[in-house]
Amino acid sequence: MLTETQDIEIKKSIPEAKWMAEKAAHEKKVDELLNSYLEARSRQEKNPVMDFLFEYYAFRPSNLRRWSPGIGLGLEYSETNELPEISELSLEDGLAFVDPNLFPEKRISSLRWMITMLENTRQSRPSFGCFGMHEWAMVYRSDNPRHSQVPMRMEPDELAEFVESRPLLCTHFDAFRFFTDPAKPMNKFELSRDKFHETEQPGCIHSNMDLYKWAFKMYPWIPSSLILEAFELAMDARYIDMQASPYDLRDQGLEPIKIETDSGRKKYKQKQEMIFKKGVPIRAKILDAMNRLLMVAES
């Protein structure tokens, strides 16, 4: 018999053929997105866009490919060996389901923090005036840029002069912390880990990129389809991030967004607003999934 909590949480059952088709479609989509990148990576070829998404965020391609329905759905099955490889899967009355009662109690406080941060961000007014200067601040007056294998679009003195000519308006601590020491005092906002949830705003391209991080932290209790949706947004955001950076990535097919020009800044702002609009429903869905998980985990 299902417990009362499980009965409340399992909204409906999915026929075996249906969920297996969804699982196969998810795996195929991930393969289409990543196979060429993984082949290049196997040859030790660097990719500043995609490497970031798997090294900085530390969620492996194999994890992204692994399918979960999230909580609230029961999977009909005939053979247990056909079920998704999820250790948090429970079996009751012919249904397999991601069991929210197995959510670790020690993670509830982190889940609450994420919900508060995401809700605060959603309610904040979006700002679009930074023009991607964070990547420039990360190499300002540095002899050791992060992507040292990639050429710059400017000489060091010219780059420094440009950074000094523009305001630094970064609101995202996890970008700010990589600023060079000479660049940090130039930022308009005082940022810290403790104030993270207060300074995030939904127009920030990195805040939207991070929706992927907050989603995968709740795997397998959040549906893999939502994690993949957030990943695709992060990919789009990262491409824009690198196009607007001081790095010259034309040999990788990335035409620069020249934020050192008026037309380049206008183009960047348009793309930043596009990412914001795409992120609004994804942020809402992640919050909804997290709130449902918290409700059950606390019961």
Side-chain angles (χ1 to χ4, degrees):
M1 289 290 293
L2 297 177
T3 67
E4 183 179 353
T5 302
Q6 291 165 351
D7 187 48
I8 291 171
E9 190 54 37
I10 296 178
K11 304 286 193 301
K12 64 178 181 179
S13 61
I14 307 180
E16 184 172 26
K18 186 174 187 297
W19 69 256
M20 289 186 73
E22 290 179 8
K23 177 176 178 290
H26 173 84
E27 294 167 349
K28 180 181 178 182
K29 189 172 184 180
V30 173
D31 289 344
E32 289 171 350
L33 284 171
L34 300 186
N35 277 356
S36 61
Y37 162 68
L38 293 175
E39 288 171 9
R41 193 172 75 168
S42 70
R43 300 189 295 269
Q44 284 75 51
E45 294 179 15
K46 293 289 186 180
N47 184 322
V49 172
M50 298 298 290
D51 289 345
F52 176 86
L53 296 174
F54 293 111
E55 294 173 3
Y56 175 77
Y57 286 125
F59 195 64
R60 295 192 300 272
S62 58
N63 291 335
L64 185 62
R65 192 177 188 273
R66 193 172 294 136
W67 183 81
S68 169
I71 62 171
L73 298 173
L75 308 180
E76 297 177 8
Y77 66 95
S78 53
E79 299 290 340
T80 56
N81 61 1
E82 296 291 340
L83 289 170
E85 295 180 8
I86 301 172
S87 59
E88 295 84 0
L89 213 63
S90 291
L91 309 179
E92 291 281 355
D93 292 349
L95 292 177
F97 57 94
V98 178
D99 194 341
N101 298 299
L102 297 178
F103 187 77
E105 186 175 352
K106 65 183 180 181
R107 296 189 63 190
I108 290 177
S109 61
S110 295
L111 176 57
R112 286 198 202 102
W113 182 91
M114 282 185 268
I115 290 171
T116 299
M117 182 273 300
L118 288 168
E119 191 60 59
N120 286 351
T121 306
R122 178 164 68 170
Q123 294 178 8
S124 297
R125 182 178 179 179
S127 175
F128 305 105
C130 71
F131 300 113
M133 289 294 296
H134 52 276
E135 287 290 339
W136 298 72
M138 292 177 191
V139 298
Y140 172 69
R141 299 202 180 279
S142 171
D143 296 326
N144 186 29
R146 294 176 68 205
H147 303 293
S148 57
Q149 79 281 5
V150 180
M152 294 288 183
R153 293 197 288 109
M154 291 183 184
E155 294 298 321
D157 288 345
E158 185 185 5
L159 189 151
E161 184 179 353
F162 171 62
V163 173
E164 290 161 4
S165 74
R166 301 292 309 173
L168 296 182
L169 304 172
C170 185
T171 58
H172 185 72
F173 174 72
D174 276 336
F176 170 77
R177 67 191 178 96
F178 291 106
F179 282 22
T180 63
D181 288 340
K184 284 179 180 177
M186 298 165 63
N187 197 54
K188 178 179 178 180
F189 304 104
E190 185 179 335
L191 306 177
S192 69
R193 178 65 64 197
D194 292 339
K195 294 182 179 180
F196 190 100
H197 65 289
E198 299 174 8
T199 57
E200 284 287 272
Q201 54 88 12
C204 170
I205 208 158
H206 270 271
S207 179
N208 285 287
M209 209 183 298
D210 274 1
L211 291 175
Y212 169 55
K213 173 173 68 175
W214 307 125
F216 76 63
K217 281 181 178 292
M218 290 298 110
Y219 175 88
W221 295 279
I222 279 182
S224 293
S225 58
L226 180 51
I227 297 173
L228 182 54
E229 193 175 355
F231 175 78
E232 290 184 281
L233 178 68
M235 275 183 65
D236 290 344
R238 182 60 177 172
Y239 274 108
I240 294 166
D241 203 30
M242 286 288 94
Q243 284 179 286
S245 77
Y247 299 103
D248 189 344
L249 295 166
R250 281 173 291 190
D251 64 344
Q252 297 194 30
L254 294 182
E255 194 63 30
I257 299 174
K258 297 184 177 181
I259 61 166
E260 62 272 26
T261 67
D262 288 340
S263 61
R265 287 191 289 275
K266 181 179 179 181
K267 184 176 182 180
Y268 180 86
K269 185 172 181 288
Q270 290 171 340
K271 289 184 175 290
Q272 188 179 16
E273 289 173 346
M274 175 195 70
I275 292 295
F276 161 70
K277 290 174 184 175
K278 285 185 177 181
V280 168
I282 296 174
R283 191 183 304 272
K285 284 187 277 189
I286 292 171
L287 268 167
D288 181 60
M290 286 183 172
N291 277 311
R292 284 189 286 112
L293 174 60
L294 181 64
M295 179 183 68
V296 179
E298 288 184 324
S299 65

